[in-house]
């Protein structure tokens, strides 16, 4: 009898990651949900129920992610890793208070890009040891953003972190092809999640103007549906897929120059 299929889902305690964990669980996969907050993690575990597991870990930490992957491997065959962990950020390169904080730039890059790369490298090493099922040993899905392509004023750090994910998708897929592991990136548009609940009303109204069709924000279940399809479809590899209802973001609310 083959062992259970296990999926590591980072940022899986809320928003898009939680929707992915829920969808995979419904398909018989055991989700190992990674997040930084014990409280949110326990809520997610109760919400998901079944064999879902929560592991408190920071995606940018090697010891944390090594421990999380050890747990995942004990539960079955780790064949899926979905990176949804990430932090939003908005600050101008030169704002009223002076230049962009360098440490904030580094923090955004660390959570979004370094964290994703850390999970990719450590998960891929584990997946390489799997016996092939069908024609593959594993699938890795990363979550970028529209900002990787049409970043707004104030999104230099965030867009750079997401653009790095887009750029590394093909070289990762090319390298890991030899190990029968696929790598795909999803670039979501506007989705209703806890992260965007904090967007000020004025900024949200401005974003709403960019909506094309459908004229609404996405449901995290729609994002999870795409991730599930990517996992199922062996021909999708080395690509970034936008899921955005044709939105192309405008320069944004912060575009007004600060110079007197
Ligand atoms: N919601 C959107 O409209 C939207 C649009 C484009 C891209 N995204 C991206 O999708 C991903 C999920 O976003 P969301 O909207 O579901 O947000 P969310 O805040 O609900 O989920 C992100 C999760 O990642 C966790 N996280 C952050 N840094 C972490 C770290 N270092 N280690 C472990 N966990 C960490 C957070 O605690 C949170 O639980 C993010 O990468 C985000 O940038 C979201």
């Amino acid at each position: 009898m083959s062992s259970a299929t296990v999926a590591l889902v980072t940022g899986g305690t809320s928003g898009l990651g939680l929707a992915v964990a829920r969808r995979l669980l419904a398909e018989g996969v055991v989700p190992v949900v990674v997040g930084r907050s014990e409280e949110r993690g326990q809520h997610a575990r109760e919400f998901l129920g079944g064999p879902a597991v929560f592991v408190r870990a920071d995606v940018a930490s090697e010891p944390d992610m090594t421990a999380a992957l050890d747990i995942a491997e004990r539960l079955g065959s780790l064949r899926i890793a979905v990176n949804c962990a990430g932090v939003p950020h908005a600050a101008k390169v030169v704002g009223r208070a002076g230049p962009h904080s360098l440490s904030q730039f580094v923090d955004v890059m660390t959570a979004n890009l370094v964290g994703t790369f850390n999970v990719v490298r450590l998960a891929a090493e584990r997946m390489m040891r799997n016996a092939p099922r069908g024609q593959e040993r594993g699938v890795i899905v990363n979550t970028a953003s529209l900002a990787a392509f049409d970043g707004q004023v104030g999104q230099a750090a965030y867009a750079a972190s997401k653009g790095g994910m887009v750029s590394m998708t093909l070289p990762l897929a090319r390298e890991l092809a030899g190990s029968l592991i696929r790598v795909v990136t999803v670039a979501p548009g506007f989705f209703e999640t806890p992260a965007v609940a904090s967007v000020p009303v004025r900024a949200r109204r401005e974003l709403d103007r960019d909506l094309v069709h459908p004229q609404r924000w996405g449901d995290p279940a729609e994002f999870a549906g795409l991730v599930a399809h990517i996992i199922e479809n062996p021909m999708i590899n080395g690509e970034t897929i936008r899921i955005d209802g044709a939105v192309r973001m405008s320069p944004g609310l912060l575009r007004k120059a600060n110079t007197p």
Side-chain angles (χ1 to χ4, degrees), residues 39-85:
E39 196 191 339
R40 272 206 306 268
Q42 291 314 332
H43 280 143
R45 226 217 66 69
E46 279 161 32
F47 170 77
L48 291 167
V53 169
F54 165 66
V55 182
R56 185 164 178 264
D58 183 330
V59 287
S61 153
E62 176 163 325
D64 279 12
M65 289 317 303
T66 299
L69 288 161
D70 286 346
I71 292 169
E73 282 196 319
R74 281 201 289 275
L75 296 169
S77 181
L78 177 73
R79 288 180 182 268
I80 301 165
V82 183
N83 278 302
C84 289

Side-chain angles (χ1 to χ4, degrees), residues 10-18 34-37 40 57-61 65 83-88 110-112 115 143-147 158 162 165 186-196 217 220 223:
T10 74
T13 59
S14 64
L16 302 183
L18 184 58
V34 169
R36 286 176 307 182
S37 152
R40 272 206 306 268
D58 183 330
V59 287
S61 153
M65 289 317 303
N83 278 302
C84 289
V87 291
T110 302
N112 294 351
T143 307
S145 162
L146 285 197
Y158 183 73
K162 297 298 188 176
M165 283 185 206
V186 180
F190 309 153
F191 281 78
E192 300 280 5
T193 67
V196 298
W217 287 39
F223 173 87

Side-chain angles (χ1 to χ4, degrees), residues 157-178:
Y158 183 73
S161 70
K162 297 298 188 176
M165 283 185 206
V166 172
S167 295
M168 74 182 177
T169 304
L170 186 60
L172 288 171
R174 284 175 159 166
E175 178 181 334
L176 296 174

